């Protein structure tokens, strides 16, 4: 995730640990490694990954760290990093030492290695017991100034990555039945439109996207008939591309595409899920972007734009590359 416009003032390791869930959008599970990348003391990028199993060979840790280091190198003008591990100190300490080794070998400055165990944070690099006792320092993320700043700024955090993935869980019950019926009823309309040619298709698609986003911006939820028609239109590449162009990288439009992914008939999910992924990535929400693109590829493993975006996310390319394309 990148976040050039989010303002959180971090004055201590406890503040940094409190900030991480807001930067990622969820609390990292134990066994996670989070790399915070900075440019002249300003946090500009965060990446999270699962640590290899505790009994994995040292080379596996070094290889994973080398991958994260390559991701950091693709960001712009990174000056230094902090690596945070989550879990018991006896597991995290040797793992982060290997990450420090790999990062340093790649030319990345590591300022601190930190371990978060519950609500206690331990510095693995500071040898001064007056500021960094070996047993760690307790911190309360609920009372931190960082948490207040984040809440005032409208930033939210979820309990874990699974809760983030639950944002795009398909609707069920009568809501699913109603959407399926609306989709079946709209299908002949698409067949007729395709027979009219590309110009008619592109015009109808553009109109449907603008209508849907306008209604959403006005605080309305798109009716099933309109959402079914839109998801059918999105199966056509020119319409999907128009949706990408007309969607702004902002939270309101992310919310719209989350709703579209949840309501779309399963075979139609890849297109809106990919539009959601692109929108989330451009907004700086790499975690949601990855979850959305994985959802698209779960249904259609060969969906080209989703596959390309997955490679982009795994490479850690910043959202600015979209505007440069």
């Amino acid at each position: 995730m990148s976040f050039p416009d989010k303002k959180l003032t971090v004055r201590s390791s406890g503040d940094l640990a409190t900030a991480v869930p807001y930067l990622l959008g969820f609390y990292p599970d134990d066994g996670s490694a989070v790399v915070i990348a900075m440019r002249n003391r300003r946090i500009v990028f965060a990446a999270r990954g699962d640590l290899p199993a505790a009994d994995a060979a040292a080379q596996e840790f070094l290889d994973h760290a080398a991958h994260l280091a390559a991701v950091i190198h693709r960001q712009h003008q990174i000056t230094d990093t902090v690596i945070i591990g989550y879990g018991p100190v006896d597991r995290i300490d040797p793992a982060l030492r290997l990450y420090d080794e790999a990062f340093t070998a790649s030319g990345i400055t590591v300022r601190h290695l930190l371990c978060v165990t519950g609500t206690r944070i331990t510095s693995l690099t500071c040898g001064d017991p007056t500021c960094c006792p070996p047993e760690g320092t307790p911190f309360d993320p609920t009372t931190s100034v960082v948490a207040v700043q984040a809440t005032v700024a409208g930033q939210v955090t979820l309990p874990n990555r699974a809760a983030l993935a639950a944002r795009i869980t398909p609707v069920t019950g009568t809501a699913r039945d109603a959407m399926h019926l609306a989709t079946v009823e709209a299908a002949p309309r698409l067949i007729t439109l395709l027979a009219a040619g590309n110009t008619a298709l592109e015009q109808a698609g553009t109109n449907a996207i603008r209508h849907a986003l306008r209604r959403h911006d006005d605080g309305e939820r798109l009716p099933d008939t309109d959402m079914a028609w839109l998801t059918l239109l999105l199966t056509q590449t020119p319409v999907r591309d128009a949706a990408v162009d007309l969607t702004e990288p902002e939270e309101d439009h992310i919310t719209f595409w989350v709703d579209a992914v949840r309501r779309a008939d399963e075979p139609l999910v890849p297109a809106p899920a990919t539009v959601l992924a692109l929108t989330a990535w451009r907004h700086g929400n790499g975690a949601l972007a990855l979850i959305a693109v994985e959802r698209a590829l779960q249904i259609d493993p060969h969906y080209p734009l989703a596959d390309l975006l997955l490679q982009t996310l795994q490479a850690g390319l910043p959202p600015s590359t979209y505007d440069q394309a």
Side-chain angles (χ1 to χ4, degrees):
M1 168 177 275
S2 59
F3 30 84
D5 299 324
K6 296 180 181 178
K7 306 292 193 297
L8 297 177
T9 302
V10 175
R11 295 187 175 89
S12 67
S13 59
D15 283 348
L16 185 59
T18 299
V20 165
Y22 293 99
L23 301 177
L24 296 177
F26 60 93
Y27 285 85
D29 292 322
D30 280 2
S32 295
V34 174
V35 180
I36 306 296
M38 289 166 283
R39 182 185 306 137
N40 299 322
R41 303 185 68 83
R42 179 188 175 101
I43 298 172
V44 294
F45 183 80
R48 188 210 71 89
D50 293 325
L51 288 168
D55 59 354
Q59 190 59 49
E60 190 172 340
F61 287 89
L62 291 171
D63 289 345
H64 185 250
H67 169 72
L68 286 176
V71 168
I72 298 303
H73 273 300
R74 294 187 185 100
Q75 312 313 308
H76 298 303
Q77 300 176 333
I78 298 301
T79 55
D80 54 350
T81 60
V82 174
I83 307 176
I84 308 175
Y86 289 77
V89 174
D90 59 354
R91 178 191 176 189
I92 298 302
D93 191 334
L96 293 201
R97 302 291 179 185
L98 292 170
Y99 278 61
D100 186 18
E101 178 184 331
F103 272 53
T104 302
S106 73
I108 296 174
T109 299
V110 178
R111 183 188 296 181
H112 295 298
L113 300 176
L114 302 173
C115 175
V116 174
T117 309
T119 55
R120 185 173 292 271
I121 187 164
T122 304
S123 173
L124 306 179
T125 46
C126 177
D128 185 352
T130 61
C131 66
C132 301
E135 70 274 15
T137 303
F139 70 99
D140 185 352
T142 63
T143 61
S144 167
V145 172
V146 169
V148 174
Q149 290 175 331
T151 301
V152 170
Q155 295 173 239
V156 297
T157 185
L158 296 170
N160 48 41
R161 190 177 186 271
L164 183 62
R167 282 192 69 183
I168 58 173
T169 300
V171 297
T172 58
T174 56
R176 167 56 54 213
D177 294 341
M179 271 300 299
H180 178 68
L181 178 60
T183 303
V184 170
E185 291 177 343
R189 182 180 172 192
L190 179 61
I191 294 172
T192 301
L193 180 62
L194 291 174
N198 289 338
T199 300
L201 171 68
E202 293 175 16
Q203 186 61 56
T206 299
N207 290 342
I209 296 159
R210 285 178 172 158
H211 170 75
L213 293 175
R214 189 180 306 116
R215 290 193 68 163
H216 179 77
D217 292 344
D218 289 340
E220 301 178 41
R221 189 168 188 256
L222 206 63
D224 289 341
T225 52
D226 291 357
M227 183 62 83
W229 177 232
L230 177 62
T231 57
L232 280 167
L233 285 167
L234 288 167
T235 61
Q236 306 304 304
T237 299
V239 178
R240 183 209 61 201
D241 292 347
V244 172
D245 292 339
L246 293 169
T247 300
E248 295 295 331
E250 57 189 34
E251 189 61 40
D252 280 349
H253 282 188
I254 289 174
T255 301
F256 171 78
W257 289 109
V258 164
D259 187 45
V261 172
R262 297 190 66 228
R263 294 166 65 190
D265 257 14
E266 184 168 294
L268 308 182
V269 164
T274 303
V275 177
L276 168 61
L278 277 162
T279 306
W281 174 55
R282 293 171 61 204
H283 184 59
N285 192 338
L288 179 59
L290 184 58
I291 286 169
V293 82
E294 287 173 347
R295 173 75 172 137
L297 291 170
Q298 178 186 32
I299 295 169
D300 183 355
H302 305 293
Y303 196 74
L305 185 58
D307 185 60
L308 177 62
L309 182 55
L310 177 62
Q311 295 177 48
T312 298
L313 292 168
Q314 291 176 336
L317 295 178
S320 59
T321 57
Y322 175 85
D323 298 321
Q324 296 166 3

